[in-house]
Amino acid sequence: MAPKIHFIYGTISLLAVVTLVLYRDGTPTILPPSPGGGGGECRAMFEITKPNGETWNRDDPYEPYARQLPSLVHSGHEDAPPVTLNSTRLQILWGAVPYIPCKIRDYGDAPFVECSAARAQAGRTTWIALVGDSQMRLKLHLLLHILPRGLAYTFTMEGREVSKQEFEEAVVTHQVHPSDFEVIGRHPGSEVSPQDALPVRRNSSRETEGANGPPGDAGAYVLRVTLVWAPLGSKRGHPLDQGLALTTAMQEWAEATSIPDVIVVGYGLWFLLMKQFEGELVPFTEMDRLTRPLVAPLTTLAARTSVLLWAQSRFRGFNFESPLAIQGTDPSSAWKTNIYRQQFAGSIPILDDWLWNILRATGMWRWDTLLPFNLASLKECQYLHAANMSQDTFYLSRWWNCADSFHTSYRTDRDEFQLLLNLLCNPFLVPESGFCCS
C-alpha cells in the first residue's frame, strides 16, 4: 500500500511542478515564480517578490502559493483514517518548488561534510547564526540531530562548556536562560584555540577579510552554529518585566573581523504577550522601540554577509476550539483564557510586516518563501484535528508538531535548513548547475 501511495503523491507533485497551475474558484490561474533565472538568484530562494515592492500584513496573498504545494495528508476511504506521508515537501517536489525559479538541492549527511571540506579548501569555515526566540531555539534542536558525523563537537552555553545532554535539555526546555548557545565541530584530534572557548559576544576563532576572506587560523573549526537568545530584539527577558538584559551580539559582530556566514533573525511573538495587559498597540510600539537599535548593526552586517528575516510560524488556534479546554472553570477564568488565546489570532502577520518595515532598509532579505509550507502544514493539522486525530502520536510529535500552537514543525524546519545549505554549499559543490545560488 505504501509504495502505491508514494507513487500517487509523486505523480501529483510532478504535475503540480510542471503545470504551476492553481485553480481558484474553478478558474485556472498561473502564478509567476519570483524573478530570477537559472541558479544565480539566491534572494529568490528566500524571498517572494511582491508587486511594486509592497509588503503583506495578512496571509491571504500567501495562500495561493500554499495551494501549489503537494499535500502530506490524503483523506482515507469511507471510515479509514487519513493517510499521512513522512517525507518533507522538498523531498516530494525533488527540490523544484513551483514559485522558486531555481532548484533546491537536498543535502544529506555526506554532502554536508563534502560541503564543509570544499569551503575549507577555499579558505572558509562554516558558521550559521540564529538570533531570536523559541522558534530559533527549536531550529537549533533540530540541527543537533542532523549535524554531520565524523566531527568532534563541543557545546557551550554563555561560554561555559557543557555535555551534549545538558545542552540539548536546555535548548528544549529552556528552564535556564543563557544569552547564547553554541556548537563547534572540529576534525578529531585538531587543536582547540583558546579563543574558541570564548562566548559569542567575543571575536571568533578566525580572522577574515570581510565575511568570507581567508582564515588566519585555518582548521580551528569546520562547522559552527550559534544561537543568540533575543526574544525582544535588542533585549531579552519577559516583555512585562523591568530591567531587561541587553542583547549586544549584533553590535559586536558588526565591529568584528570575523562574522557568521549567514544570520537568521526571527522574533516578535513575545511582544504580543503585552497585548492582554498593556493594550492593542503596545506590542507594535515596543517592537519598534526595541528593534531600532538593531538597524545600524544589521545594515553593516547585511553588507558583509547574508542576513535573513524569517517569517514567523502562524497560530494554530484550532487546538483551543474545543469547549473541553475551559470546561469546569469559572466564567472569569474562562474569559481570561479566551483573551490570552485571542491575542495571537490574526496578529502574527501584522507583527511580521511591522518588523519588516522597520528592517527592510538594512539590506537584509525577508525569508518568506517557506511561509506557504508552514500554512500548508497548518491546514493539514487543522484537517487532522477535525478528523479526531489530535491524540495520535504523529499529531503530537515534533516532526508534525500539530499540537504546538506556535512553533513550526521539524518537517518544515528541515526544509528551511536545506535552503541554508544551498546558500552555503552550492557555490562550492555545484557551480553552474541550475541549483539556487550556484
Side-chain angles (χ1 to χ4, degrees):
M1 185 65 181
K4 184 181 293 185
I5 292 172
H6 281 280
F7 173 77
I8 292 172
Y9 275 92
T11 304
I12 293 172
S13 302
L14 182 60
L15 288 173
V17 172
V18 172
T19 61
L20 302 186
V21 173
L22 170 68
Y23 283 87
R24 192 186 310 169
D25 300 326
T27 305
T29 304
I30 298 180
L31 289 177
S34 299
E41 284 290 338
C42 279
R43 185 162 187 163
M45 181 170 61
F46 293 99
E47 185 172 333
I48 295 177
T49 302
K50 286 80 175 172
N52 302 318
E54 68 183 44
T55 62
W56 296 340
N57 59 9
R58 63 192 191 285
D59 286 336
D60 295 8
Y62 289 106
E63 293 289 354
Y65 296 97
R67 291 198 292 269
Q68 291 184 72
L69 301 172
S71 177
L72 302 176
V73 176
H74 177 64
S75 58
H77 296 290
E78 297 178 353
D79 295 331
V83 177
T84 58
L85 298 183
N86 201 37
S87 302
T88 74
R89 294 186 210 280
L90 275 183
Q91 290 171 331
I92 292 177
L93 290 168
W94 290 84
V97 180
Y99 51 85
I100 295 178
C102 49
K103 192 172 181 180
I104 298 164
R105 185 185 184 195
D106 186 89
Y107 281 91
D109 182 66
F112 191 14
V113 174
E114 184 184 358
C115 166
S116 299
R119 289 177 60 87
Q121 186 174 8
R124 309 186 187 193
T125 50
T126 305
W127 184 4
I128 300 171
L130 307 171
V131 180
D133 55 22
S134 56
Q135 299 277 13
M136 298 296 109
R137 184 165 50 82
L138 293 185
K139 293 183 193 309
L140 174 60
H141 184 227
L142 173 70
L143 290 180
L144 293 179
H145 294 271
I146 57 177
L147 290 172
R149 293 183 291 272
L151 298 178
Y153 291 98
T154 57
F155 304 87
T156 63
M157 297 189 301
E158 217 160 40
R160 178 178 64 91
E161 187 171 342
V162 297
S163 67
K164 182 180 179 181
Q165 180 180 354
E166 182 180 350
F167 185 92
E168 185 170 4
E169 182 178 352
V171 168
V172 173
T173 65
H174 206 56
Q175 294 178 351
V176 295
H177 304 86
S179 60
D180 57 79
F181 299 80
E182 190 157 67
V183 183
I184 296 181
R186 303 177 180 85
H187 291 300
S190 62
E191 295 185 4
V192 179
S193 166
Q195 283 185 305
D196 285 343
L198 294 177
V200 64
R201 56 183 175 272
R202 304 289 183 87
N203 204 357
S204 76
S205 60
R206 68 184 177 101
E207 297 297 319
T208 63
E209 296 175 0
N212 294 307
D217 187 13
Y221 65 84
V222 177
L223 175 65
R224 181 176 183 177
V225 182
T226 301
L227 168 67
V228 177
W229 178 243
L232 302 176
S234 62
K235 292 191 177 182
R236 62 183 187 273
H238 194 284
L240 296 175
D241 290 345
Q242 300 294 323
L244 296 172
L246 286 173
T247 301
T248 59
M250 297 295 96
Q251 289 85 345
E252 290 168 2
W253 282 339
E255 297 175 359
T257 304
S258 175
I259 60 177
D261 298 288
V262 60
I263 302 172
V264 182
V265 180
Y267 67 90
L269 198 62
W270 281 49
F271 286 101
L272 291 178
L273 295 171
M274 309 179 77
K275 203 173 181 182
Q276 181 178 357
F277 299 99
E278 303 289 342
E280 287 284 329
L281 297 180
V282 172
F284 302 97
T285 57
E286 285 299 288
M287 172 179 274
D288 191 291
R289 182 177 70 86
L290 295 179
T291 298
R292 293 293 172 184
L294 299 180
V295 170
L298 284 174
T299 300
T300 300
L301 289 168
R304 299 175 59 196
T305 190
S306 298
V307 186
L308 312 172
L309 181 62
W310 177 76
Q312 295 183 90
S313 174
R314 299 323 195 209
F315 182 59
R316 299 185 187 92
F318 53 82
N319 282 312
F320 299 128
E321 289 175 357
S322 171
L324 294 176
I326 56 175
Q327 186 175 358
T329 59
D330 64 89
S332 177
S333 297
W335 178 248
K336 290 179 181 178
T337 300
N338 187 59
I339 292 279
Y340 173 80
R341 294 167 181 170
Q342 291 304 313
Q343 66 187 334
F344 303 105
S347 298
I348 298 177
I350 301 173
L351 207 67
D352 258 5
D353 186 61
W354 184 251
L355 183 58
W356 174 240
N357 275 284
I358 298 171
L359 295 176
R360 64 186 306 183
T362 63
M364 61 196 302
W365 299 348
R366 186 179 191 183
W367 187 1
D368 61 356
T369 48
L370 292 197
L371 178 57
F373 283 51
N374 179 254
L375 295 174
S377 293
L378 188 152
K379 294 293 185 184
E380 290 165 350
C381 288
Q382 191 170 19
Y383 172 78
L384 294 171
H385 185 272
N388 297 317
M389 301 183 70
S390 59
Q391 298 304 311
D392 284 45
T393 302
F394 71 88
Y395 188 96
L396 301 171
S397 70
R398 292 193 184 278
W399 185 244
W400 280 83
N401 221 29
C402 289
D404 188 326
S405 294
F406 300 103
H407 302 97
T408 53
S409 67
Y410 278 21
R411 174 198 308 274
T412 301
D413 285 339
R414 186 191 183 279
D415 284 343
E416 290 175 346
F417 186 56
Q418 290 300 319
L419 266 63
L420 294 179
L421 289 180
N422 275 252
L423 172 69
L424 295 170
C425 302
N426 288 358
F428 300 91
L429 293 183
V430 286
E432 302 178 6
S433 63
F435 286 111
C436 298
C437 298
S438 61

